[in-house]
Amino acid sequence: MSINATLFIQLIVFFIGAYVTMKFIWPPLIAALEERQKKIADGLAAAERGRADLAAAEKRAQDADREAKARVQELIAQGEKRATALVEEAKDAARTEAERIMAAARAEVEQEVQRARQQLRDQVAALAVAGAERILKREVDPRAHAQMLADLKQEL
Amino acid sequence: MAADSHSLTATEYIVHHLGHWQTEKQKSIIDFSVVNIDTVFFSIACLVLGLLLLRAAAKRATSGVPGRFQAFVEMMVEMVEEQSRSIVHGDRRFIAPLALTVFVWIALMNAIDLIPVDLFPKIASWIGWYAAGVPEHDVYLRPLPTADLNGTLGMALGVLILMLWYGIKIKGVGGFVHELFCAPFGSHPAFWLFNFLLNLIEYAAKTVSLGMRLFGNMFAGELIFFLIALMGGALALNATGLSMAALHVIAGTVWLLFHILIVLLQAFIFMMLTLVYIGQAHEGH
């Protein structure tokens, strides 16, 4: 418990130690610590940004989904409308066609009737001539009486 | 315990352990021509060891994932940085590294106290006997530098110099002298002498208490280890001898475990007070 020159040696050693730490030990350690701190802060910021991006992307996806669904609805409605229109069109066409066919048939029938009537007229005329021949027992000159026969045919 | 023929008494044993390996036997209480070689050797060894460990960590320091050793050193650095930031408001480029050095250095020096008290003196006595033919009772070695008042007061003196240096650096010579004479009572000329005396006492008290606190704790711890070692020295093949040896084991274990706390706590306290005192030098009254 006595004081001697060790005191001053210890004092010098004290400052040398502090100086060495200041020059060679403290700066790299603090630099590493600060750099890591920055890295972690950046990482956290990036994570936050990522989370925000994800939320935005999810929202975009939802919007796109909703839009697509609306579009699908629209398309279905359009399709249905178009289908109905097509059916209507087909019905109209069928009706027209049917009417045309019916008209044609009717015309044909009419023609047939006309033709039959014509034949009938011819036959009746022939019959009438034959009957008249028989009644008159003499030859009728068809050529002389052609005008008369034609008039008769017209009256039938 | 003793290699030579007569066995030591308890007093002789302790006095022998309290003796320093000195350049020459010190006669008076204060004699600046004498150096305690053991204190110088072990404190420099601890400092070199501590600085090498820190340097190893500093060299490999990366901002990536730290290894265990790097994480441990970084934890200390972070603790010191945190404390110095909160206590010292100013340029800490020297103060923070100083605090780290003080903490690591004192912790390592104190940790020598955990090594069995007879180990280093015994080795020294063998070297002394076989290399120089010096008998054991003439070989003195005290490996614990912080149980030497020179060691702790030397460091406290360093802190005093820093207190004065930063006081002058921050406040200027005029401001520093003004504060010496005008604080804490006031700037009335009647108070100048009292202010100055009180400031002198304050600086002296800070320095002496800083050095004495560490010295007292470590000296007391060391002394108790000596006393515990005495119990083991009483080992004999009888009830008393055996129970003393058993008591040595128990008491030694308990004191060792408790002393781990003191080793680190005193290093921490010295570091904190260094920061507080230097921090006070940064602030005006």
Side-chain angles (χ1 to χ4, degrees), chain B residues 186-234:
Chain B
S187 54
H188 192 279
F191 293 136
W192 284 1
L193 186 63
F194 298 109
N195 283 332
F196 182 62
L197 283 176
L198 198 76
N199 278 316
L200 283 189
I201 291 168
E202 191 184 330
Y203 278 117
K206 276 176 177 172
T207 306
V208 171
S209 70
L210 187 61
M212 279 290 195
R213 177 180 301 104
L214 180 58
F215 161 75
N217 273 282
M218 298 322 293
F219 184 83
E222 188 191 31
L223 206 58
I224 288 174
F225 275 121
F226 293 157
L227 294 173
I228 291 168
L230 275 176
M231 294 196 289

Side-chain angles (χ1 to χ4, degrees), chain B residues 105-119:
Chain B
W105 187 25
I106 294 180
L108 282 173
M109 286 195 290
N110 288 353
I112 292 178
D113 210 4
L114 303 175
I115 296 168
V117 288
D118 278 309
L119 181 66

Side-chain angles (χ1 to χ4, degrees), chain A residues 71-83:
Chain A
R71 181 105 186 90
V72 164
Q73 287 300 325
E74 198 183 314
L75 280 176
I76 288 172
Q78 256 178 18
E80 270 171 3
K81 217 156 86 186
R82 181 105 187 84

Side-chain angles (χ1 to χ4, degrees), chain A residues 130-144:
Chain A
E133 262 177 1
R134 230 168 263 174
I135 296 162
L136 296 174
K137 291 293 188 202
R138 70 179 188 192
E139 232 13 81
V140 177
D141 186 3
R143 216 170 312 142

Side-chain angles (χ1 to χ4, degrees), chain A residues 1-11 13-15 17-18 21-22 24-26 28-29 32-33 35-36 39, chain B residues 26 29-32 34 36 43 47 51 55 62-64 74 81 93-94 96 98 101-102 150-151 153-154 158:
Chain A
M1 261 226 267
S2 42
I3 302 295
N4 57 38
T6 313
L7 191 75
F8 303 113
I9 293 174
Q10 189 81 354
L11 175 65
V13 173
F14 173 82
F15 281 114
T21 306
M22 179 182 76
F24 304 107
I25 291 163
W26 191 262
L29 281 171
L33 280 173
E35 201 182 321
R36 181 166 329 117
K39 261 190 186 172
Chain B
Q26 187 164 350
I29 290 286
I30 297 173
D31 182 354
F32 289 126
V34 180
N36 292 342
S43 53
L47 182 65
L51 292 181
R55 178 65 189 156
T62 62
S63 59
E74 280 180 3
E81 169 73 5
R93 268 175 310 173
F94 179 70
L98 170 94
T101 317
V102 163
N150 292 297
L153 274 184

Side-chain angles (χ1 to χ4, degrees), chain B residues 35-36 50 130 140 179 184 210 254:
Chain B
V35 171
N36 292 342
Y130 291 110
Y140 291 97
E179 202 160 87
L210 187 61
V254 170

